[in-house]
Amino acid sequence: TILVSDWSSDVCSSDLLAMTLTPCGVTATDPALAILDQARGVPAEIFADVAFRLLDRNSIAEKERTPLLEEIFLRAGEAHDSLPLRPAVIPRTGTQAAPATKGLGLALDTLSIRCRVVRTLLTVDGVRARRRFADIAAPDAVKPDCKSAFTTDPSIYFETLGAVVAQAPFTPEEQKKQVAFWMLEGAVRGIRTSLEIIAAARNFPQLVHGEKDATALASAFNAALGIDDCNRNFSAAAQNVNLVGAVLAANDKLSAQGAPPRAILGGLRGYLVRHLTAGRCADSVVYPYTASVDAFNAAVAKQTVPAAISD
């Protein structure tokens, strides 16, 4: 992972991420363009961060915004990490963050940069935003083994898809064919890891309208909950009842649209039982999963199908 501390030697400023619009060592009519010219010579992560900051400050002329966003999108493929990383849920060994974790959370991987481009384009050119989102491959999230201290978190892909469906224009013919809905349904059926389930459950159900679509999306979530994930990903998803809470909320929203009241609960029960009885990483056994089980059991109380999860 490229760290912020590694970048400062490549530019005039010792703190590039906090730099002002005053160019260093460059004379130009437009200070913002001078900064961009400097940033083009450093790693793609720095260039993207500087460019986004200039865009956020409205320092880029309107006619230059879309070409710059296109440039950021294309250069994102040069980023060191293809997907966002997050620390695995394992006991802390000290108070200081390990060096490899200092660059986490910067959203400067390929997927994060490209999704940010799409979301920014939505405010400028919705058609172009859709086109660029179509150029982003569905996340190939990994299932790390117990030796890994990190997991990949492709949540931003699902958040961005939700924004595209909600904000981008669709032609009358596309609306007739329900292109937007099938984008959501297809993404859910393509889920491979637990954190993706959380992201989809939090962002998609509110975009569905009508009994038929709600039932179809509930079926897709049931299929997604059939995954066999690794313990690293399961621990990350189950902590703080994140996955159970997100799925239960999705079930409620889809049921309100006409899907069967317990449409997703059977899939959720199978997911929990399958992972709670699977192999566990030795360093994760100290984390109890009773909160997730209790939340599920509370949701199915006073009914027989699906059954509560016993000890």
Side-chain angles (χ1 to χ4, degrees):
T1 301
I2 300 174
L3 307 181
V4 175
S5 58
D6 296 331
W7 297 342
S8 59
S9 61
D10 295 326
V11 294
C12 301
S13 170
S14 62
D15 186 8
L16 182 56
L17 298 184
M19 69 194 302
T20 66
L21 296 184
T22 302
C24 50
V26 174
T27 301
T29 303
D30 188 336
L33 294 182
I35 292 173
L36 277 177
D37 285 341
Q38 291 178 341
R40 287 186 173 99
V42 296
E45 294 91 336
I46 304 179
F47 170 66
D49 188 75
V50 171
F52 280 131
R53 288 174 183 268
L54 293 171
L55 287 164
D56 291 343
R57 293 170 180 169
N58 292 319
S59 300
I60 303 299
E62 185 174 348
K63 66 178 182 178
E64 302 292 341
R65 293 176 68 87
T66 297
L68 178 56
L69 287 166
E70 292 282 4
E71 184 179 0
I72 299 170
F73 188 95
L74 293 174
R75 284 207 60 188
E78 304 170 17
H80 183 274
D81 294 314
S82 59
L83 294 173
L85 298 176
R86 62 182 288 175
V89 180
I90 54 179
R92 295 182 180 274
T93 57
T95 57
Q96 296 294 323
T101 68
K102 290 182 180 178
L104 299 183
L106 294 175
L108 295 176
D109 55 276
T110 297
L111 179 63
S112 296
I113 293 171
R114 287 182 168 168
C115 284
R116 186 171 177 182
V117 167
V118 170
R119 299 191 75 152
T120 306
L121 278 172
L122 283 171
T123 66
V124 179
D125 185 340
V127 173
R128 189 183 294 269
R130 276 191 60 193
R131 189 181 305 131
R132 275 311 187 189
F133 183 78
D135 292 334
I136 301 176
D140 186 16
V142 300
K143 297 181 179 180
D145 59 25
C146 294
K147 296 179 181 179
S148 177
F150 305 97
T151 61
T152 54
D153 184 359
S155 297
I156 192 170
Y157 176 86
F158 297 87
E159 296 165 1
T160 305
L161 173 54
V164 168
V165 167
Q167 301 174 36
F170 290 83
T171 67
E173 183 65 21
E174 289 175 327
Q175 294 176 30
K176 183 179 180 180
K177 294 180 179 179
Q178 294 187 286
V179 170
F181 169 75
W182 293 115
M183 289 171 65
L184 301 176
E185 197 268 357
V188 175
R189 290 195 179 274
I191 283 174
R192 297 177 60 248
T193 63
S194 300
L195 294 175
E196 294 172 272
I197 294 175
I198 297 176
R202 287 177 175 170
N203 290 278
F204 293 174
Q206 59 269 28
L207 300 174
V208 173
H209 304 287
E211 178 180 350
K212 182 178 179 181
D213 290 352
T215 302
L217 192 62
S219 176
F221 271 110
N222 259 325
L225 286 162
I227 62 171
D228 284 312
D229 210 349
C230 65
N231 184 236
R232 282 285 188 252
N233 287 343
F234 172 67
S235 295
Q239 66 172 327
N240 302 322
V241 204
N242 285 339
L243 185 139
V244 173
V247 173
L248 291 177
N251 183 77
D252 290 343
K253 291 175 182 176
L254 294 175
S255 296
Q257 291 288 335
R262 297 183 291 277
I264 310 179
L265 298 186
L268 179 57
R269 186 186 194 280
Y271 168 88
L272 288 171
V273 170
R274 190 165 56 254
H275 290 86
L276 288 169
T277 56
R280 192 75 45 80
C281 295
D283 55 16
S284 71
V285 296
V286 298
Y287 289 94
Y289 300 97
T290 52
S292 292
V293 175
D294 290 345
F296 174 82
N297 286 346
V300 300
K302 300 181 181 179
Q303 62 186 49
T304 57
V305 179
I309 299 175
S310 68
D311 289 341

